[in-house]
Amino acid sequence: MYAKNSAARPQVVILEKKSIPVGDLRADLPTREKLGHTDSLQYSIRNNDLREPLLVHPETLQIVSGFRRYAAMRQLRRLSVPVVFPANAAEACQSVRDHLEMGNQRQQAMTVREKFALSQRLREFSRPEYAAAWRHEDYAGPAVGLTSAILRALRAAERGFSAPEATGSSAENARRVFLLMLEALEGPAGQGCSPGQTVRRLTGYLRSGDCPNTLAEACEVSTAKPSVPAQGGGGAGQAPVSPARRRTQNEIRRGIDTISGACAGLASVCVTDLPSDDIPYLAREIRKNRRILGDVLKSLQENCRD
């Protein structure tokens, strides 16, 4: 199933297939962790030839998508292989999306790590000249089957430990955040959190620098209950917290965690290439929400004094 994304599908472009020698291609940067068995794929190629061409970078001749097809062609000792050379990243994303949406039974399901690796490889293509407000994740997300928000969160965490300047505890924390994000997306939902909520919460740990060691700890919702004066004016006792109020408390905490994660995500995104028309609107929205959060903070502080 493919993730929903608001980005419109780019204008359909039929890429020209070309046949080049197998030995000319580079396959030293695979996006697949394991190729798996290619027996059924080889059988199909023997009988019907290779219908889906490989996606190849036009300058480096590095394979971006199609490593299993490439392996099957080599095992069959084919001398040439059909490929396509996208002119830009939008065409490359469209090509990957079209291939994966075909749902061919010989396709091997991709893990979240492999989807993210493929999305990063698609960055190697140049951005399209016609796209004024280009956002790579808006095109790569639907292509690989992840939301653009998930891709941005994974990329922020990956940059935190793979960048040349990333060292020490900060890099180790970012690596732990990245691995927990993958675990949340690959496995069942955490304690009271959906995978998306868990990823947003984990994004906040990139800034705090103190990520938990397990997914259960990262997803844990505090169940501490504030003191409530007992009815009747006794003062020392505590009235039990109703289920409705407990749900409200947990929703408030989740909301604050979501805001923290969103702010951390925004802080990690480069905004220097925003269109000038967007800036006044975004600045106005930020100021408006800052006032709202200020009122909430004031209410919380007054509550504490009471």
Side-chain angles (χ1 to χ4, degrees), residues 156-157 170 173-174 177 181 200-211 260-269:
S170 177
N173 180 73
V177 168
M181 284 180 176
R200 286 194 295 271
R201 181 170 295 188
L202 286 167
T203 301
Y205 290 112
L206 290 175
R207 299 295 299 273
S208 68
D210 187 25
C211 181
S260 299
C263 290
L266 283 173
S268 67
V269 174

Side-chain angles (χ1 to χ4, degrees), residues 246-258:
R246 187 178 298 113
R247 284 195 297 271
T248 301
Q249 292 169 352
N250 288 337
E251 285 300 322
I252 291 173
R253 293 188 182 97
R254 290 193 188 101
I256 296 299
D257 287 340
T258 300

Side-chain angles (χ1 to χ4, degrees), residues 127-259:
R127 59 183 292 169
E129 296 180 358
Y130 58 80
W134 168 258
R135 291 292 181 275
H136 176 78
E137 290 82 5
D138 292 340
Y139 288 79
V144 303
L146 295 173
T147 67
S148 56
I150 292 295
L151 282 185
R152 282 193 291 269
L154 288 170
R155 185 171 181 239
E158 192 263 349
R159 282 202 308 257
F161 66 83
S162 64
E165 65 274 12
T167 57
S169 59
S170 177
E172 182 57 34
N173 180 73
R175 185 184 300 277
R176 194 158 62 245
V177 168
F178 181 76
L179 293 176
L180 288 179
M181 284 180 176
L182 293 178
E183 183 181 345
L185 294 167
E186 293 279 12
Q191 300 176 358
C193 297
S194 68
Q197 289 172 328
T198 304
V199 168
R200 286 194 295 271
R201 181 170 295 188
L202 286 167
T203 301
Y205 290 112
L206 290 175
R207 299 295 299 273
S208 68
D210 187 25
C211 181
N213 292 315
T214 66
L215 191 60
E217 294 175 11
C219 296
E220 185 178 356
V221 177
S222 175
T223 57
K225 305 177 183 63
S227 298
V228 180
Q231 296 181 2
Q238 291 185 353
V241 179
S242 68
R245 182 167 182 177
R246 187 178 298 113
R247 284 195 297 271
T248 301
Q249 292 169 352
N250 288 337
E251 285 300 322
I252 291 173
R253 293 188 182 97
R254 290 193 188 101
I256 296 299
D257 287 340
T258 300
I259 292 171

